[in-house]
Every structure is written in C-alpha cells, then in structure tokens.
Amino acid sequence: MSETMRFRDPKVAQGIALKIREVAPKKGQVKICHVCGTHEWTITHFGLRSLLPENVEVIAGPGCPVCIVPAAEIDEAVQLAKQGKVITCFGDLLRVPGSESSLLEAKAAGADVRIVYAVSDAIEMARAEREKEFVFHAVGFETTAPITAVEALGDLPRNFSFLVSHRLIPPAMELLLGVEDLQIDGFIAPGHVSAIIGTKPYELFTKVYRMPTVVAGFEPNDVLMAVYMILKQHSTSEAELENEYSRVVKPEGNRKALEVMRRAFKVTAGNWRGIGSLDNSAYALKSSLEEYDARKKFDIKPSEGKDIHKGCQCHQVIVGKIKPNQCPMFLKACTPAKPVGACMVSSEGTCRVWAKNVAAANTA
Amino acid sequence: MLMCLAIPAKIISLQGEKAQVDFGQGVLRDVNVSLVEAKQGDYVLVHAGYAIQVLEEKEALETLSLWSDVLAQAGQE
Ligand code: SF4
C-alpha cells in the first residue's frame, strides 16, 4: 500500500473510531474546534462526523484565509484595478465580495485581473511587461506569508508591489475562546500553519486556557487521531499540547521561514471579515520595504468596507456558532455558482465545503 | 486550490533555489526551495509553488506505527 493510502486506510479509521467511543464521555456535549479549511474538507469529504458519537461535535472556526479578508481590503484591490494596475492573485480571491464589487466584476468591467498559481508567476509577468504596474494581492495565513516575505526580500522589478492581507491564526483561536455561547473543549491546530510557526504559539491555550490542543495532519486518520487524543485528555481533565503531525511539524517550526518573515513583516492589528479588528493578527511589510508596499506606493482611498451582505450568516459560520445548513440561504439563495457570502466563494469556505458535500452535510 | 493545502512531492533535481519535483504519477513541476534545506531525493511539502517543509520519513513511519498501536489496543479490549 502506498504511504498516502495507509494514512487513509479505512480499517485504521474504524479502529480509531472505536477508541474514540471508549474515551468519549458518556454524557454531556464535547465541542472540538479546528481552524483550517483543509481540515473541514477532510472531515466533510470523508464523512468523519458520522464516525463520532453523537455528543462529540467538531466545528469549524475561522480557517479560510480568503473568507476572512475584509471587504475593505478587496475594495483596495478593486480600486487599484480600476486605476489601471494589473492585479494578480490566487483564483479563490477573484469572486470574494468587496463592498460594491469583487475582482471578478472589476475584470468583467475591463480591469486587468490575472490569476496566478504562484507569486513568482506574477513577478515574471511584471518583468516581461515593464510598462505596466503589477500588484499581487497577498492573502493567506502563516503557511503562505513566508512566500511573500522571501520574495519581498528578494530582487523584485520596480513595477511590482504587494497588497498584503496576511493574517495570523493564534489570535483568531484566542478570540474563539471568548465568543459568547460557544463552549470549546479542545483545539485541532492547523498542520500547515504549524509547519511554519511550530508548536510553541499554542502553549497559551494549554497553559493559560487549559485547552487540550493537538496539531494534526490532513488525512482522515490524522483528524480522527487528533479527536481521539483530545478526548483522551478531556477524560482525565488534562490540557496538553500534542503533535500528531510530527512527520511535518517540528516544535520549532520552519526556522528559515520564520526568519524571512521576521525580516520582512511587522505584526499589526488586522480586520477579519465578520469578526472585526484583532490585535497582533496581521502582517504588514516593514517600512524598509515600502517601495514594494502597494498601500504606500499608490493612492488608495480607505473604505469603510461592507463585510456581510443582507441575510448572510458568514459572521456566525466563521466563528463556528452556526453550521452552514442553519443559514436560511444555504443552497437556496446562496450556491457555489451564485455565492452571497465569502464563505461560499472560496473552496476552503465552510459553506462551500458543505455545499460540495451536501450528502455529508445533511447527515451531520 | 485550497490555500492551506500543501502537497508532498519528491525532489528530482535541484538548481539553486529551483527544484524539479514529482507529485507522483509523473506530474512534474518546478518549485522554489528557498524556504527549506532540502536535497535531491527528499520529500517536500509544496504550497503555492514553494516548498514549505521537508517531510520526515522516520516520523511518517512513527505516525503509522502509533496508529497500529492504538488499533492493537482496540483489538484487545
Ligand atoms: S450559505 Fe451563503 S449566505 Fe449563508 S452564511 Fe454561507 S455564504 Fe453566507
């Protein structure tokens, strides 16, 4: 059996599910929260919720880096596009609603908006078309941010700059612990964010909040194993930081990546769609790199930003307070083809993931 | 594309910051390896065109054996 197949082996899954039943409390609800769109994909795609006892719930927190980009920052990109700059971005960002227009709508209206697979593609384009100004809208959590950092410190053409909308995950996890009516009993920490930042930033949750926290990978058995490890801690009232994903995540993270981020970015307060401003939750380019900072280089009018469109419950979905199928518009007024909210736009948005796996969603 | 997703690939050849990697089934691609210390033959996790971490084979095998330990216990009880 190939390695990937072994990580997905259904026999193993069944075995872990049995162990989960053994350690799960006989009464009372347990709520485990993950904060990663890819975890949500694994859970719904493989129908993992159906393997859990009824009183064990796994909910999705703000794990979609595209969904949480506030409308005001989409508005900035749209403004730049309308000024004639070439906006480059990952495909997922294209349809994320701004206050008035998405980048896709700006493109339909004649703006030059291009999808790239990697930021290096955008830089190549800028080198090839020197007469135009290129802006890369840099979105993503700590998994993606080091890529922006390493390029920002590298040798960039003068007609290239970044519109940075990177966000940090630990402050969002901390926020969840303060949300009213949302009692969380354990965290599944995101594997690929952790590959960069390591495990230390999560000590806050175990030491201060006494919250069992397990870093997990993305195969179905990784996620089940993390649920098991959390329930096991829960059963003995422990709060440990465990690493299920040691094949990728080292306690110290990726030193090279952390070093380039330290050199390129300063940590600031950042706005999250549907959540508002969180302290120390965003990266901005340091002033030494301001010639590559689109916000410094060009004239952008700040926008108030209209984050949530009428009737959309994204702000509740993002913090795990409701499930997508509890939104009256889910798969009615709001579908992947005609999304109303950001959570339905991105392939990592909780509503979109559920829509794509409707059968799983209906039984969850 | 899933933005937090990173896919394992094997480094076929290296030239400075660029590496050619194999995602399996003959899907080859150039990726940037400036964020990792990797050598030819290593498995790396690739995210948006950049390797972000080296996969440790020893730990991968440990994870699998941890799972079979849990299973062995499940069988006994
Ligand atoms: S289903 Fe659509 S309208 Fe409802 S919360 Fe999700 S994105 Fe918003």
Side-chain angles (χ1 to χ4, degrees), chain A residues 311-314 317 322 324 327-331 334 340-344 351:
Chain A
C312 175
Q313 310 285 322
C314 270
V317 172
I322 69 164
C327 167
M329 308 235 263
F330 180 67
L331 293 185
C334 178
V340 174
C343 314
M344 186 62 92
C351 295

Side-chain angles (χ1 to χ4, degrees), chain A residues 149-228:
Chain A
V150 80
E151 291 295 354
L153 295 168
D155 168 32
L156 286 175
R158 295 208 143 272
N159 59 332
F160 184 89
S161 56
F162 291 99
L163 180 64
V164 174
S165 291
H166 289 305
R167 293 292 182 273
L168 285 73
I169 276 286
M173 289 170 72
E174 193 176 5
L175 166 99
L176 290 175
L177 297 175
V179 174
E180 221 180 298
D181 303 329
L182 185 77
Q183 179 72 44
I184 294 172
D185 301 294
F187 275 131
I188 300 178
H192 292 149
V193 163
S194 311
I196 303 296
I197 67 175
T199 55
K200 207 162 173 33
Y202 305 118
E203 278 176 5
L204 168 74
F205 306 122
T206 51
K207 292 199 171 140
V208 178
Y209 293 97
R210 306 273 319 139
M211 190 59 54
T213 303
V214 177
V215 178
F218 298 95
E219 295 299 340
N221 295 344
D222 284 319
V223 177
L224 286 172
M225 197 63 202
V227 170
Y228 167 70

Side-chain angles (χ1 to χ4, degrees), chain A residues 23 25 52 81 89 108-109 150 154 165 183 197 206 229 231 275 281 302 340 346:
Chain A
V23 292
L52 303 178
C89 63
V150 80
S165 291
Q183 179 72 44
I197 67 175
T206 51
M229 290 160 93
L231 289 171
I275 292 179
S281 74
V340 174
S346 160

